Amino acid sequence: MRRAAATPAPDATSARAAAPAERAGPPGRAAPARRGDGATAGHGAASRAAATPSPDATPPPDATPARAAAPRHPAPAEHPATPEHPAPPGRAAARPHVVAVAVTDATPTFELAVPCEVFGLDRADLVDPWYELRLCAAEPGPLRTAAGLGVPTTYGLDDLVEADTVIVAACARPAQLAPPPGLLAAVRKAHESGRRIVSICSGVYVLAAAGLLSGRRATTHWMSAADFAHRFPDVDLDPTALYVEDGSIFTSAGTGSAIDLCLHLVRRDHGAAVANEVARRMVVPPHREGGQTQYARLPARPRAGGGGGLAPVLQWARERLHEPLTVAGLAAAAHMSERTFARRFRDELGTTPLQWVLQERVRLAQELLETTDDPVESVARRTGFGTAPNLRHHFRRLTSVSPQTYRQVFRSRAVPRSVPPGALPTAPWE
């Protein structure tokens, strides 16, 4: 059921978003209702009331086609029908992928803002249509974040069940210990219907209480790991991972790892080039593997005149992936001994230098396969693999598919093919 939007204070909007254009829904399904000035409900202007859809806008019970679980490599999205690009005869225009975020009272602000930033801003210059974000009230309102910002939840739990991706945002302690019964039922129903289920930080408590994580791998913030493991011993908890993917269920650790998981979802849906461009606009690292460690020992304080952290040498290496890269060379660029560098690298990134280089080379290969017509042999040279067989071996080992299959799946995405990798268009508002 729909809920009237709570009116926040003028500065209470926790995440901004550009209003997506109206798009036609698939046959037999009503187009999603729009609120206020036409922006997608749950983001946009700071205050708007929920519009009541007309009775004839409600589809019959059997009108909504059943959806299967999202495939690992989803089919290419169609270009929306326009006067210049009409839809093929007998085929409906593409609709946006709906991301619904369950909001409970006193939710941590940052963890709620991240999905709003990634999925709520209209990035139709990258993929058209982009996602449609819906903030869904998981309990009676008005709802506010932990910092006191009002959350305009103009959608309810019925809308949560119907979304393509369901995200349970981080919860305050009361909601962790006693999740709203309606939210538990909605999450179970969404999972049974094949929706993609995601939790951010302590939102994993809701998924576990709903019975979705029994026998599955999951993660949460390391500070909650002991408590969670005690309450849900049937969950295979990894207390160090940034995020965990187990079938159609995704869980993330706290704060910054919410960005990693949301970008991972974009990467699965639209490819590495799109996810990397979103990361560039957000000024965050393009890709951190889910298995990287959440926490590490504090590195030794750098000597006077020395650089702090590994960011400079990581950027130096990314610019030279086509060249031979060794631990000795990386350590020299970081002005450290090989032993110290290897130890610092594992402490800060949770992996070895050479494994990180391999992951970065595969990531670059993904981007080149998506955005260029270069043959596999050329991609192998540009990414430092040297030969096509070497590229195919490592690419399949890390992605489970061949370079050619990956290209066939993602080349039809909406990334402009005339734009070279790393130079995708920047939206004027970012």
Side-chain angles (χ1 to χ4, degrees), residues 295-382:
Y295 54 89
R297 298 193 303 271
L298 290 175
R301 184 172 182 174
R303 297 178 180 178
L310 296 176
V313 73
L314 297 183
Q315 184 59 35
W316 179 88
R318 287 190 180 104
E319 295 170 354
R320 294 165 175 79
L321 292 174
H322 60 287
E323 301 175 2
L325 292 175
T326 63
V327 176
L330 292 170
H335 305 290
M336 300 179 190
S337 68
E338 290 185 41
R339 184 174 180 179
T340 299
F341 177 77
R343 184 180 68 251
R344 285 277 300 275
F345 204 97
R346 179 172 287 280
D347 285 347
E348 294 193 23
L349 276 76
T351 188
T352 66
L354 294 183
Q355 183 63 29
W356 178 87
V357 169
L358 177 62
Q359 293 168 355
E360 288 297 304
R361 283 175 167 159
V362 169
R363 181 193 62 78
L364 177 58
Q366 289 176 311
E367 189 169 340
L368 292 173
L369 291 168
E370 295 171 31
T371 59
T372 74
D373 294 315
D374 290 359
V376 173
E377 291 77 8
S378 176
V379 172
R381 289 192 299 271
R382 294 180 63 179

Side-chain angles (χ1 to χ4, degrees), residues 22-44:
E22 294 287 349
R23 300 181 178 93
R29 183 173 185 135
R34 301 294 177 182
R35 304 302 194 262
D37 59 1
T40 303
H43 60 282

Side-chain angles (χ1 to χ4, degrees), residues 99-164:
V99 176
V101 181
V103 183
T104 53
D105 195 36
T107 183
T109 305
F110 186 89
E111 285 82 346
L112 176 62
V114 169
C116 293
E117 172 72 18
V118 174
F119 304 111
L121 291 182
D122 184 6
R123 304 184 193 274
D125 60 318
L126 299 180
V127 174
D128 193 3
W130 189 246
Y131 299 89
E132 178 182 326
L133 180 72
R134 299 180 179 180
L135 297 184
C136 301
E139 56 185 331
L143 302 179
R144 295 186 175 276
T145 69
L149 304 178
V151 183
T153 49
T154 52
Y155 289 95
L157 292 176
D158 290 343
D159 304 290
L160 188 81
V161 172
E162 291 302 315
D164 300 295

Side-chain angles (χ1 to χ4, degrees), residues 132-210:
E132 178 182 326
L133 180 72
R134 299 180 179 180
L135 297 184
C136 301
E139 56 185 331
L143 302 179
R144 295 186 175 276
T145 69
L149 304 178
V151 183
T153 49
T154 52
Y155 289 95
L157 292 176
D158 290 343
D159 304 290
L160 188 81
V161 172
E162 291 302 315
D164 300 295
T165 294
V166 173
I167 297 179
V168 180
C171 305
R173 190 61 174 169
Q176 295 175 30
L177 300 182
L183 175 58
L184 296 178
V187 169
R188 288 192 200 101
K189 186 174 181 181
H191 180 250
E192 292 167 358
S193 300
R195 275 42 171 183
R196 183 165 65 185
I197 310 297
V198 180
S199 71
I200 294 177
C201 192
S202 55
V204 71
Y205 280 78
V206 175
L207 271 55

Side-chain angles (χ1 to χ4, degrees), residues 250-283:
F250 300 73
T251 55
S252 80
T255 315
S257 63
I259 299 176
D260 297 305
L261 178 53
C262 288
L263 289 177
H264 176 65
L265 298 177
V266 174
R267 185 176 296 103
R268 283 175 53 92
D269 294 341
H270 301 296
V274 172
N276 292 346
E277 173 60 13
V278 175
R280 189 173 72 88
R281 297 180 183 189
M282 294 174 62
V283 198

